[in-house]
Amino acid sequence: MFALAVILFSALPARSGPVPGSLPAQWNIGAEDCAAAPQPPLQVYAYEPQTLILRQNPCANPEANFLYLLIGSEKALLIDTGAVADAEKMPLARTVLALLPLKDGARLPLLVVHTHQHHDHYAGDTQFASLPAVQVIAPDLASVRAFFGFDHWPEGIAHLNLGDRVVDIVPTPGHESAHIAFYDERTALFFSGDFVLAGRLTIEDTAAEKRSAARVIAFLANRPVAHTLGGHIERDTAGHTYAEGATYHLNERALELSRQDLVKLPSALASFNGFYASHENYSITHPMHNLLALLFAAFVLLSVVAFVIYRLLRWRRRRS
Ligand SMILES: [Zn+2]
Ligand SMILES: [Zn+2]
């Protein structure tokens, strides 16, 4: 009986967990003087054979975006096209097409999508515009809603089947109104764009961001998360944030964030003062609120200066 049970058990397929992969401790970090030390524009790293990560060099563009290529048995999915349009400076389409496997003698069809409608995430679209067997979904909200079938945006989850590989799409507006995140069921990787990343979480709409964080936590409740991978790395290993426009990421920290970084987001947003907050692996900032606060402070300062000048003039007039 025991022998039969062993035979039966060993005949069953092994319990399938997420396909494991690896990430480098250090990516290409640019250079202090890009002209003196020319950098390869694009770094390609295989997390596992069917999951490729492309990093744009900080010298090519300081945004230094991360793009993700997921390969199924029927189709490949490119998430974001990065910050550089010029194919001479950034051979993105050429590199991506060369990475696509052949099926029945033809390259696998490619679907190009975006985490959101910020220029550094879709500037490379032009390189894919007229290629055969390539479909580019525009990053605006109407196109995103129509393609993925979000009838009750931002509620609901969409699903993309790449052939033996399903990717779930979670609406995550807040950083930008058409933002979406991607969960890959094959690897349990969560591609978070600029919704969550190791750096600045810049918020356009705090209420929408809070609802997005709750939506993501609910979606992930009974799913594993191998890593959370964002669109940029903006911090060094000591937790300092690089200056805007930096072409050199000295001691750049790892790309990946954990499930915990996502889980902590609702409480981080609940305690957000509307201007700035620093947390373990990211900071939260609301640029519009900060600008308004700056304008208000400038207005108060100018009013005080004007008042002082007025009193001084009156005082001098009385004395003369
Ligand atoms: Zn963005
Ligand atoms: Zn970005």
Side-chain angles (χ1 to χ4, degrees), residues 2-320:
F2 176 72
L4 181 67
V6 168
I7 291 166
L8 278 174
F9 183 75
S10 54
L12 290 169
R15 205 182 86 84
S16 60
V19 172
S22 70
L23 288 162
Q26 183 85 92
W27 295 87
N28 284 1
I29 56 168
E32 259 180 309
D33 183 345
C34 296
Q39 301 287 307
L42 199 55
Q43 178 181 6
V44 180
Y45 184 88
Y47 174 78
E48 54 93 27
Q50 288 175 243
T51 305
L52 300 148
I53 305 178
L54 296 92
R55 203 275 165 94
Q56 300 195 315
N57 196 285
C59 279
N61 187 291
E63 294 287 356
N65 290 65
F66 284 85
L67 325 174
Y68 302 97
L69 181 63
L70 313 185
I71 295 168
S73 62
E74 301 291 333
K75 201 186 277 191
L77 179 72
L78 177 64
I79 302 174
D80 285 343
T81 60
V84 185
D86 188 347
E88 294 292 314
K89 292 184 183 142
M90 179 63 65
L92 179 64
R94 181 153 53 88
T95 304
V96 168
L97 293 189
L99 290 167
L100 297 179
L102 295 175
K103 190 185 182 201
D104 304 326
R107 242 180 21 227
L108 220 57
L110 175 69
L111 177 66
V112 178
V113 296
H114 311 87
T115 54
H116 63 294
Q117 196 182 6
H118 280 162
H119 192 252
D120 58 308
H121 295 257
Y122 68 83
D125 281 14
T126 48
Q127 295 188 26
F128 296 90
S130 54
L131 296 174
V134 176
Q135 185 182 10
V136 181
I137 310 304
D140 63 281
L141 183 55
S143 303
V144 168
R145 285 187 65 164
F147 179 76
F148 291 109
F150 286 116
D151 295 331
H152 304 286
W153 176 273
E155 300 308 327
I157 307 294
H159 311 280
L160 259 184
N161 193 343
L162 307 176
D164 305 313
R165 184 173 198 172
V166 173
V167 177
D168 307 307
I169 296 99
V170 189
T172 44
H175 168 73
E176 190 276 326
S177 61
H179 201 296
I180 49 179
F182 299 81
Y183 178 77
D184 176 31
E185 295 185 7
R186 172 186 167 84
T187 56
L189 291 174
F190 185 72
F191 301 101
S192 54
D194 289 0
F195 166 66
V196 172
L197 52 83
R200 301 177 191 86
L201 312 191
T202 54
I203 296 179
E204 184 184 277
D205 181 338
T206 311
E209 180 86 358
K210 284 179 178 172
R211 287 195 294 273
S212 292
R215 192 177 304 114
V216 165
I217 304 302
F219 170 77
L220 293 173
N222 51 4
R223 290 174 171 85
V225 176
H227 302 287
T228 298
L229 304 179
H232 312 268
I233 303 174
E234 297 176 344
R235 280 191 169 194
D236 66 16
T237 47
H240 300 124
T241 306
Y242 297 113
E244 304 254 10
T247 62
Y248 187 44
H249 286 191
L250 181 64
N251 299 323
E252 188 181 67
R253 60 147 288 154
L255 165 66
E256 62 271 31
L257 292 176
S258 68
R259 179 195 198 90
Q260 270 312 99
D261 291 304
L262 292 170
V263 169
K264 288 178 185 168
L265 187 59
S267 66
L269 289 168
S271 63
F272 181 50
N273 62 12
F275 297 97
Y276 179 83
S278 186
H279 293 271
E280 189 182 355
N281 290 319
Y282 47 73
S283 57
I284 305 177
T285 165
H286 195 305
M288 188 52 78
H289 285 178
N290 290 323
L291 179 68
L292 290 174
L294 202 66
L295 288 173
F296 181 71
F299 172 75
V300 169
L301 191 68
L302 282 173
S303 303
V304 168
V305 169
F307 180 72
V308 169
I309 291 172
Y310 166 75
R311 297 294 295 199
L312 269 173
L313 289 174
R314 267 189 61 160
W315 177 70
R316 278 188 59 180
R317 217 177 292 141
R318 276 196 196 146
R319 284 191 55 185
S320 57

